[in-house]
Amino acid sequence: MIDAEHGEAAMRDMASRLLAQRDSGDVRPAVGRAVAPPVSQRGQRHKFADHPLVAAACELNARRRAIWELTGMPSPLFLERKGYNSAVLQAQGQELTNFAGYNYLGLAHHPKVVRAVQDAVAQFGASASNSRITSGEIELYPRLEQRLARIYDVEAAIIATSGFLTNAGVLGYLLGEGDAAICDSLIHASVVAGARWAGARVMTFRHNDPESLRGILRASRDRFYRVLVVIEGLYSMDGDIGLLPEIAAVAREFDCGVMVDEAHSIGVLGAHGHGVREHFGLPGDAVDIWMGSLSKALGSCGGFIAGNANLIEALNTAPAMLLTVGFPPTAAAAALTALEVLESEPERVRRLWQNTELFTSALRDRDLDLGMSQNTPICPVLIPSVARVVFASSLLLQRGVYVGPVTAPAVAPGQERLRFFITSEHSEGQLTAAAELVAEVVEIARKLDPTIPV
Ligand SMILES: Cc1ncc(COP(=O)(O)O)c(C=O)c1O
């Protein structure tokens, strides 16, 4: 139980300080996208340190720092931790119950993973020290790639140094002018970045709605040569599962390729953690491009693509794969060992889902708004208003629970939320106590003036 009186007093105190500061003119409204400088400033355009976007970002950060100082509340942003990012996190001299890390299965600090990383650094050094094509190649890469290909029931796979760059680099390579990426409206920014990089047209269909996709394709399929329909396996902000069978069927009707971003679903969905393909019982060729991240359930870093052998061979020469250093040997060892542990310790996936059931039903019993979540390990608690969600995250942190506040641009304005990542490592006691605390804090936060300039 938190001391509700103290919580409300803290909230009122924070609110009045911020409102007073706004009224005195010290707090400026949130800064939007910069506009071109006035003609009088032309000739200064070679300077980037005072580029309007740079100035706006620095101003926003300074204002946020000032807010934490002014209110005396702890900031949940850039919180420095000691030790592992798991169910318990050490920061600011205390032990926090942590819901801010996507180490879903505890593999990032599993003893076998840690040992494999230590062996890899001893054997191969800290860096690949060149692209794979010239001297960067080590035996860990193909072993990891073959394992990923087997999981997806496809011919081949390729790893890349970042999940974001995997999406951006693959779409940037495969699409071009005259092509289109038609994406779920909640698709990750890295997919959009890649399509823009390619000069392809980007369109979105209503979230998880095959009929909306059908409407767009009926109206516009003939205007493009290649069209790639892109969805996520498990939506990273909302915790609902991509309707892959129905969406892929519509895409095929209109001769479109299908790509699935499995960043949050590999290791999580399916009885063996093999992702959305296993969840729906689909063959590997139901999708043309399986993309995933190694940085979430697999406890490492980097991304991968799995699919047809020719496609993968060609991707070896895509700029984002070729004109960059090879994968860090330590990250390859971590991901490969994580996949081995996923197979040898299937109880981790079971525990993850038991914990998910416990926590989400405890939140629902307390009438919290979990939005579109389908009771998966990504559990949003909607608290529309930046002020309320930031305050709730801050008060929870003060009371020993760490969860990130999510605001625009990561979600649409009015869709602000706390995003809880549930892991196999949380204990029943931690989940039950946290659910009770969250309900109390959300109730307090709901009374907060939503116009406070946070
Ligand atoms: C859906 C989705 N795709 C891609 C990425 C990028 O992956 P990474 O963080 O491994 O670069 C993320 C990151 O959170 C994500 O949520």
Side-chain angles (χ1 to χ4, degrees):
M1 275 282 287
I2 64 161
D3 173 355
E5 223 172 87
H6 182 202
E8 292 209 41
M11 172 200 76
R12 272 198 301 276
D13 190 40
M14 169 173 146
S16 59
R17 283 163 194 251
L18 290 171
L19 286 169
Q21 206 194 29
R22 181 183 66 183
D23 295 343
S24 72
D26 281 355
V27 173
R28 272 160 270 170
V31 192
R33 214 184 143 69
V35 291
V39 177
S40 60
Q41 285 175 23
R42 301 261 166 89
Q44 298 293 309
R45 280 176 290 186
H46 62 287
K47 290 188 177 171
F48 283 90
D50 60 359
H51 183 299
L53 276 179
V54 174
C58 292
E59 189 185 313
L60 188 63
N61 287 343
R63 189 156 62 73
R64 291 227 158 117
R65 278 195 293 274
I67 284 168
W68 301 121
E69 271 168 31
L70 186 76
T71 60
M73 301 284 284
S75 166
L77 308 179
F78 296 98
L79 184 72
E80 187 183 311
R81 70 174 154 92
K82 312 267 184 238
Y84 305 133
N85 191 351
S86 190
V88 173
L89 187 135
Q90 290 167 33
Q92 297 180 334
Q94 50 170 335
E95 278 203 344
L96 305 166
T97 304
N98 179 32
F99 293 93
Y102 39 56
N103 182 11
Y104 294 110
L105 301 172
L107 296 179
H109 60 289
H110 189 288
K112 286 186 179 164
V113 173
V114 172
R115 211 171 313 121
V117 166
Q118 288 163 343
D119 290 349
V121 79
Q123 196 179 349
F124 299 109
S127 172
S129 300
N130 203 342
S131 168
R132 286 176 71 172
I133 201 167
T134 30
S135 82
E137 187 72 5
I138 57 173
E139 49 105 11
L140 294 175
Y141 304 153
R143 280 175 56 203
L144 173 56
E145 290 167 339
Q146 282 154 19
R147 204 160 187 130
L148 288 165
R150 275 202 305 279
I151 285 179
Y152 282 94
D153 183 29
V154 292
E155 292 166 347
I158 181 169
I159 50 174
T161 46
S162 125
F164 189 105
L165 264 184
T166 304
N167 272 336
V170 166
L171 270 83
Y173 179 70
L174 292 177
L175 298 182
E177 279 176 33
D179 296 336
I182 306 192
C183 309
D184 185 283
S185 58
L186 297 185
I187 202 72
H188 194 259
S190 49
V191 171
V192 177
R196 297 225 166 102
W197 179 0
R201 176 83 186 274
V202 182
M203 289 188 278
T204 55
F205 60 94
R206 215 174 310 121
H207 174 56
N208 241 351
D209 183 346
E211 286 314 307
S212 167
L213 172 63
R214 188 192 302 280
I216 290 176
L217 287 172
R218 207 177 269 138
S220 58
R221 175 65 186 92
D222 290 345
R223 289 174 21 217
F224 302 101
Y225 184 55
R226 284 202 174 78
V227 172
L228 189 60
V229 172
V230 195
I231 66 169
E232 289 180 27
L234 177 60
Y235 281 89
S236 60
M237 293 293 164
D238 292 271
D240 58 337
I241 298 170
L243 270 183
L244 175 58
E246 290 86 344
I247 288 171
V250 174
R252 295 299 188 224
E253 245 179 76
F254 290 85
D255 188 22
C256 302
V258 179
M259 173 168 172
V260 180
D261 177 336
E262 286 256 78
H264 288 270
S265 33
I266 176 89
V268 169
L269 292 184
H272 303 90
H274 287 184
V276 73
R277 188 185 79 78
E278 186 186 22
H279 175 81
F280 285 116
L282 298 172
D285 64 3
V287 160
D288 304 284
I289 305 173
W290 294 102
M291 177 272 169
S293 165
L294 302 169
S295 69
K296 315 232 184 303
L298 300 182
S300 180
C301 191
F304 67 86
I305 297 289
N308 166 277
N310 287 342
L311 170 73
I312 299 302
E313 190 176 332
L315 286 177
N316 272 294
T317 62
M321 314 289 188
L322 181 71
L323 304 178
T324 188
V325 70
F327 209 73
T330 47
L336 184 59
T337 311
L339 287 173
E340 285 162 10
V341 175
L342 185 65
E343 196 174 307
S344 61
E345 299 180 17
E347 65 275 12
R348 285 180 181 270
V349 178
R350 277 199 298 278
R351 243 181 14 242
L352 171 67
W353 285 93
Q354 278 160 7
N355 284 349
T356 297
E357 167 61 25
L358 181 83
F359 189 62
T360 53
S361 48
L363 294 180
R364 286 193 196 276
D365 287 348
R366 290 169 172 80
D367 285 334
L368 289 162
D369 180 0
L370 307 193
M372 293 184 287
S373 160
Q374 293 171 336
N375 299 343
T376 69
I378 296 177
C379 178
V381 172
L382 272 77
I383 318 177
S385 136
V386 178
R388 289 176 178 169
V389 79
V390 167
F391 173 75
S393 167
S394 206
L395 189 55
L396 280 166
L397 180 53
Q398 216 170 37
R399 312 283 155 135
V401 168
Y402 185 31
V403 57
V406 183
T407 60
V411 292
Q415 291 288 308
E416 291 80 13
R417 66 203 52 197
L418 297 170
R419 179 175 53 160
F420 292 82
F421 292 113
I422 304 154
T423 75
S424 58
E425 307 309 282
H426 286 104
S427 70
E428 198 176 321
Q430 285 168 336
L431 296 168
T432 314
E436 189 169 330
L437 183 65
V438 171
E440 290 172 25
V441 165
V442 168
E443 199 180 318
I444 293 170
R446 281 207 189 110
K447 297 180 189 159
L448 193 69
D449 179 347
T451 65
I452 291 169
V454 175

